[in-house]
Amino acid sequence: MVHATTPLTMIPCINWLQPLLALISSTLLTRGHNCPSSCMCPDHHTVNCTGQGLTRVPDAIPLNVRRLLLSNNWIPWIPSDFLVLYSDLVYLDLRNNCLSQLEPGTLSTSSRLVFLDLGSNNLTEISSGIFEDSTSLIKLRLGNNPFLSMIDKDAFSGLTSLRELELEGNGLTGLDVSVLKPLLYLKVLRLEGNPWLCDCHFAKLFAWMKENEDKLPMGMKVLECSLPLDGQRVPLSLLSEDSFRECRSTLSLTDYLIVIFSGISVSVAAIIASFCLASIVPCFQRLKRGFKGDEEEGID
C-alpha cells in the first residue's frame, strides 16, 4: 500500500509560512478589536466618537464595525473610499459636523447601511446618484442643513427601502415632486421649517402633501410658504388646490414647444396647399378651354 506523504521540499516552506500567517492573522484581529484613541467601544461592533472635537474621520476603526457614531465634531468631509473597508456598517451618525458636500461614490459600497444621519451640517446640494447603491437604507436624516437649497431630480434613486426621510429646517424654497417617486415605501416625511415659495412650481408638491398628509408627522398645520408678490408667510392649512388655480392655465416649456411646432406645421401645410392649388388651377383652365373648343367644332 502506498501512503500519501508531504514532500520533504514543502516542509521548509510550510515552516516559513506559519509565522507569516500568524502575524497577518494577529494584525487583522488586532485591527478588528482595537478602539481608536479618544473614542469608546462598548462592544466589538460599536465605535462611539461623539463630541471629541475631531477634525477628520479617525484612523484604525475596527473593520467589523457596525455602528459608527461621529456626531458633534468638526469633520468637514468624508473620504470617497471611506466605506470600502467597512462593509458591515449598518448605522452611521455624522450629525452636527461641518460637511458641505458628499463626494461622488462615498456611499457606493453602502448596500448594508440602514441608518444614516447627515443632519445639522453645511450641505448645500444633494446630487443625483448619491444614494444609488443605498438600497437597504431605511432612515435618512438630512434636516437642519440651513444652506441646503437644491435636491436634484434623481437624488433619491436607489432608496427603494426607505421608510423615513427628514428634510426639515433646510433652505428649500421648492422641491420637484418627482424626487419622491422612487420612495415606494416612504412612511414619514418631514418638510417643516423650510422657506417654501407658494408659486406654480410649488403647486404639485402642495397637491402631493394634501394627498399624503398622513406621512407628515405634524400634518400641514406647521408648514408655511411665502406669497410670491409680498413675501407674506401663509400656513398651508389655509390653502387649497384652488389657491393655485391660476397655475393650471400656465403653459410649461413643453406646451410652448408644442404650440410653436403646431404653428410651423400649419404654416408649412398652408404653403404646400397654396402651391398645389396654383399648379392645379391652370390645368383645369386649359381643360375647360379644350372642352369648349370641342363643343364649338361639333356645332359647326
Side-chain angles (χ1 to χ4, degrees):
M1 178 180 293
V2 179
H3 295 279
T5 58
T6 302
L8 294 177
T9 56
M10 293 292 293
I11 293 176
C13 293
I14 294 174
N15 290 337
W16 179 80
L17 283 172
Q18 282 179 342
L20 179 60
L21 292 173
L23 177 62
I24 294 174
S25 300
S26 175
T27 302
L28 291 176
L29 288 174
T30 301
R31 177 74 187 275
H33 295 294
N34 272 0
C35 192
S37 59
S38 75
C39 299
M40 296 183 295
C41 299
D43 56 64
H44 290 323
H45 300 296
T46 302
V47 176
N48 188 351
C49 305
T50 302
Q52 297 300 313
L54 300 176
T55 57
R56 59 191 297 270
V57 177
D59 296 323
I61 297 174
L63 295 176
N64 60 347
V65 64
R66 294 182 184 174
R67 287 171 50 89
L68 180 56
L69 312 177
L70 295 168
S71 61
N72 301 323
N73 286 293
W74 301 96
I75 299 172
W77 69 289
I78 300 296
S80 59
D81 60 349
F82 172 65
L83 293 178
V84 172
L85 294 175
Y86 309 111
S87 58
D88 291 334
L89 195 65
V90 297
Y91 189 104
L92 178 58
D93 186 356
L94 286 161
R95 175 174 42 89
N96 196 23
N97 276 281
C98 302
L99 300 175
S100 59
Q101 64 177 353
L102 291 177
E103 296 288 339
T106 301
L107 300 173
S108 61
T109 56
S110 62
S111 58
R112 293 190 181 182
L113 202 61
V114 172
F115 175 93
L116 177 60
D117 193 341
L118 296 170
S120 301
N121 277 280
N122 297 320
L123 297 175
T124 59
E125 179 181 359
I126 305 299
S127 304
S128 297
I130 287 291
F131 302 107
E132 191 173 26
D133 298 309
S134 304
T135 54
S136 297
L137 203 61
I138 292 178
K139 187 167 186 175
L140 175 59
R141 288 180 170 174
L142 293 170
N144 299 306
N145 282 277
F147 305 110
L148 179 56
S149 59
M150 179 64 183
I151 297 179
D152 287 350
K153 183 178 179 181
D154 300 320
F156 298 143
S157 62
L159 295 176
T160 53
S161 301
L162 197 70
R163 302 294 196 278
E164 298 183 32
L165 175 60
E166 297 184 0
L167 293 171
E168 80 284 359
N170 294 323
L172 297 170
T173 57
L175 182 68
D176 191 330
V177 74
S178 63
V179 167
L180 304 174
K181 285 185 178 179
L183 310 181
L184 302 178
Y185 298 101
L186 189 66
K187 300 296 182 184
V188 176
L189 176 61
R190 295 191 59 183
L191 295 171
E192 68 274 11
N194 283 282
W196 301 112
L197 180 62
C198 283
D199 57 7
C200 290
H201 296 292
F202 185 75
K204 289 184 179 180
L205 180 61
F206 178 80
W208 187 94
M209 290 181 190
K210 292 288 287 185
E211 186 177 346
N212 298 274
E213 191 169 357
D214 58 309
K215 297 178 181 178
L216 306 174
M218 301 179 188
M220 298 184 69
K221 60 184 179 182
V222 297
L223 293 167
E224 295 181 337
C225 65
S226 299
L227 298 179
L229 297 179
D230 57 10
Q232 181 182 352
R233 302 289 291 174
V234 177
L236 294 191
S237 57
L238 299 180
L239 302 179
S240 66
E241 293 191 31
D242 285 339
S243 304
F244 299 92
R245 61 180 177 274
E246 293 182 359
C247 298
R248 297 170 190 167
S249 60
T250 302
L251 295 179
S252 65
L253 176 60
T254 303
D255 296 329
Y256 281 117
L257 291 175
I258 291 173
V259 171
I260 293 171
F261 180 77
S262 300
I264 294 173
S265 300
V266 170
S267 299
V268 171
I271 293 171
I272 293 173
S274 300
F275 177 79
C276 292
L277 287 174
S279 302
I280 293 172
V281 168
C283 294
F284 277 113
Q285 289 177 343
R286 285 196 296 270
L287 288 173
K288 185 177 181 180
R289 286 197 295 269
F291 283 131
K292 284 185 178 180
D294 292 340
E295 289 177 358
E296 289 175 357
E297 289 179 1
I299 292 172
D300 294 341

